[in-house]
């Protein structure tokens, strides 16, 4: 089975060894596999090269008048067989793999095969970063050690009925293997997370609030605005370590 992957450079799938930059495992070494394609279209997405293809109508904060921030799927997406991806991951001496995107759950059949292949070579923790709008299959739940679920709030520009699906959020809320990470721009976003936490009975210990931003200056400024409401609500706070270390570079 083939997987659609993002490219870190032309012809090179975005599979790389780094530290997890966000959430529960921040600072831990991991291999990252970035898949291409997303069912949502966040206006501030920092991996728009996985979905914002030429000829599509989606908007992005980096659009300039007359020059939308579009990408060429022939250059920025590449297909690889699951066995090739598994071999590339196993070349790194990492304790775990993070499958990210884009939206990985668009390719969950291939991810199940990848997880199977990885476990036959040596033990890897299998972690998935998802926007939480696509239900995981029973087979995927069985394979995955950690789902990092990042439901998208209205400031993402997505319609709530597409981004915040009750039946899917209920499934993730009920999984011991799931934690939640919400991107926030202002304290009102944290208040909305508190409403979601109550609605889906998500323990606050499992919730991380992360400032939106793709520069250190933006993260510090937004984080300063958010931190009082994060603490008031008993949530965890997470930075974006990779932005401080590498900025917006791909494949790091
Ligand atoms: S869900 Fe994630 S990958 Fe998809 S558009 Fe939003 S931020 Fe980007």
């Amino acid at each position: 089975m083939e997987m659609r992957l993002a490219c870190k450079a032309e012809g090179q799938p975005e599979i790389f060894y780094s530290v997890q930059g966000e959430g529960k495992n921040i600072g831990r070494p991991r291999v990252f596999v970035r898949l291409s394609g997303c069912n949502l279209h966040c206006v501030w997405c920092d991996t728009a090269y996985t979905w914002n293809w030429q000829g599509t109508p989606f908007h992005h904060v980096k659009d300039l008048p007359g020059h939308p921030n579009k990408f060429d799927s022939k250059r920025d997406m590449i297909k690889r067989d699951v066995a090739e991806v598994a071999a590339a991951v196993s070349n790194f001496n990492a304790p775990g793999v993070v499958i990210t995107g884009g939206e990985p759950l668009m390719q969950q059949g291939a991810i199940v095969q990848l997880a199977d292949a990885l476990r036959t070579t040596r033990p890897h923790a299998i972690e998935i970063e998802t926007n939480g709008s696509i239900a995981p299959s029973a087979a995927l739940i069985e394979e995955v050690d950690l789902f990092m679920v990042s439901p998208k709030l209205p400031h993402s520009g997505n319609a709530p009925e597409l981004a915040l699906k009750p039946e899917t959020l209920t499934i993730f809320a009920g999984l011991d293997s799931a934690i939640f990470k919400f991107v926030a721009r202002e304290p009102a976003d944290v208040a909305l997370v508190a409403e979601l936490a109550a609605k889906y009975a998500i323990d606050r210990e499992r919730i991380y609030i992360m400032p939106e931003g793709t520069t250190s200056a933006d993260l510090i400024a937004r984080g300063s605005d958010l931190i009082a409401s994060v603490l008031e609500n008993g949530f965890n706070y997470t930075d974006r370590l990779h932005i401080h270390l590498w900025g917006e570079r791909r494949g790091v």
Side-chain angles (χ1 to χ4, degrees), residues 136-192:
S137 67
L140 189 71
I141 292 170
E142 182 77 17
E143 292 281 7
V144 171
D145 297 289
L146 181 67
F147 286 99
M148 288 163 285
V149 185
S150 184
K152 297 302 183 272
L153 301 179
H155 66 74
S156 68
N158 294 289
E161 60 270 24
L162 297 179
L164 299 169
K165 293 185 178 166
E167 65 279 10
T168 310
L169 292 175
T170 300
I171 292 171
F172 282 116
L175 292 180
D176 289 340
S177 55
I179 60 162
F180 289 78
K181 182 192 72 188
F182 290 89
V183 177
R185 302 188 99 180
E186 56 185 20
D189 298 328
V190 182
L192 182 51

Side-chain angles (χ1 to χ4, degrees), residues 38-42 44-48 50-51 101-103 131 150 152 158:
C38 190
N39 61 321
L40 298 183
H41 310 104
C42 303
W44 37 254
C45 178
D46 61 356
T47 55
T50 65
W51 57 267
E103 174 45 55
N131 62 36
S150 184
K152 297 302 183 272
N158 294 289

Side-chain angles (χ1 to χ4, degrees), residues 18-23 26-27 46 209-224 237-249 252:
S18 189
V19 288
Q20 173 56 276
E22 303 170 354
I26 193 167
D46 61 356
I209 304 293
M210 185 179 80
E212 189 268 311
T214 53
T215 66
S216 288
D218 281 351
L219 293 174
I220 291 166
R222 281 223 168 91
S224 300
Y237 178 82
T238 179
D239 202 353
R240 307 191 74 201
L241 178 60
H242 51 298
I243 294 293
H244 297 302
L245 294 173
W246 295 292
E248 276 202 275
R249 276 173 49 196
V252 288

